Amino acid sequence: MPIRTRVAALAALTATALAVGATATAQAGAAPNETAQKTASAQKTAAAQKTAAAPRFLAASELPPHPTGWTAGPVTDGFPEQLAYCLGEGVPAYDYRHRLFHTDLDTSAVQVTVVTGSATKGKALAALLDEEIRGCAARLERLYPEIEAEGRFFGTLPVEEGATVHGLHTETSYGATDVNLLSVGRDGRTVTVVGWGQMGDFDDAPLAAFKKTAKKAVTKLY
C-alpha cells in the first residue's frame, strides 16, 4: 500500500545513507585498497545474511487446486493492496514482501510475509492481524452501506507458533457475492498472511485445501 511502500523506501534510503557514511569514515583512516577490500567483504556478508534470513514463499502448486491451474507472480516488496479490504491503514509499517497468484478465471490468492525484530514483536503483529481480520466484516458494513458481510472463524492450526483461519463472505446491493479465506501464521519473529478469494459463498470455498496451504505457508518459511 502507498504508506507502507513509502516507509519501506525511506528505510532503504536511510540504510544506504548510513552505509555510505560508515564507508566514508573508514576511508579517512585507511589505505584505498584496504578500504575497498573491507567494503566488498562487508557487502558480501550483508548480502549473504539477507539471503539466508529471507523467508520462502508458497509456490503455485501449493495453493488449493483449481481447474485452470495457478500462476505465481514474483516476490515483491511492499504490502499488497489485495489485502487492504481487511488489513488497512491500522497495520504497522514493516518491510513487507508479497506474492500474487491468479487463475484463468476469477479465483486469486496472495501471500504477504514480514520479518519483525523479535519473537515478541512477531507475536504482537500476528495477534493484531488476526484481530483486524476478525473485525473485517463489521468494518466493511460500517464503511460501505451497500455491502452485507459475514465473517467466520475456522479454528487454529498446529504449526510452529500457530496459525488461525478465517472466512469472509460479502454481498453487494446489486447482487455480487464473493468469498475469501484468510490465515495468519507465525514462525518465531516471522509472520505470514495468506488470502484466497473468488466469486461465490462459503459453500464454494475449499476450506480443507486452504488449511493445508495455510499450514504449508508457515512450515515453508524456513
Side-chain angles (χ1 to χ4, degrees):
M1 294 184 67
I3 288 179
R4 291 175 184 80
T5 301
R6 289 196 295 270
V7 170
L10 178 59
L13 288 173
T14 301
T16 301
L18 290 174
V20 171
T23 301
T25 300
Q27 288 175 337
N33 289 341
E34 181 182 354
T35 299
Q37 291 174 354
K38 288 183 178 180
T39 301
S41 177
Q43 290 175 342
K44 289 181 180 180
T45 300
Q49 289 175 341
K50 183 177 180 179
T51 300
R56 295 180 297 165
F57 280 73
L58 290 167
S61 61
E62 294 165 328
L63 294 173
H66 190 276
T68 70
W70 289 93
T71 298
V75 176
T76 306
D77 291 338
F79 193 90
E81 62 181 19
Q82 287 77 6
L83 289 177
Y85 67 95
C86 265
L87 302 173
E89 299 302 329
V91 177
Y94 282 101
D95 290 332
Y96 297 95
R97 302 174 76 223
H98 68 275
R99 167 175 275 179
L100 302 180
F101 305 85
H102 70 271
T103 66
D104 290 341
L105 298 178
D106 65 312
T107 309
S108 61
V110 58
Q111 181 184 11
V112 58
T113 297
V114 57
V115 181
T116 67
S118 66
T120 300
K121 291 182 178 180
K123 181 178 180 180
L125 178 60
L128 176 60
L129 295 176
D130 191 69
E131 181 180 354
E132 289 289 310
I133 293 174
R134 287 176 185 270
C136 184
R139 191 162 55 251
L140 286 176
E141 289 189 336
R142 184 174 66 252
L143 294 174
Y144 307 101
E146 73 278 12
I147 291 179
E148 291 185 4
E150 178 189 358
R152 294 184 183 180
F153 177 60
F154 291 120
T156 61
L157 301 175
V159 53
E160 299 301 338
E161 276 68 59
T164 55
V165 179
H166 302 265
L168 175 72
H169 176 255
T170 59
E171 182 173 359
T172 66
S173 57
Y174 50 88
T177 62
D178 292 280
V179 62
N180 291 270
L181 298 174
L182 301 110
S183 69
V184 180
R186 182 173 70 92
D187 183 356
R189 63 179 183 149
T190 303
V191 178
T192 189
V193 177
V194 179
W196 171 99
Q198 70 174 29
M199 294 176 61
D201 55 30
F202 285 119
D203 291 337
D204 302 309
L207 180 58
F210 181 79
K211 286 185 175 181
K212 292 181 180 179
T213 295
K215 188 173 183 179
K216 182 66 175 181
V218 179
T219 60
K220 190 178 181 179
L221 288 172
Y222 298 107

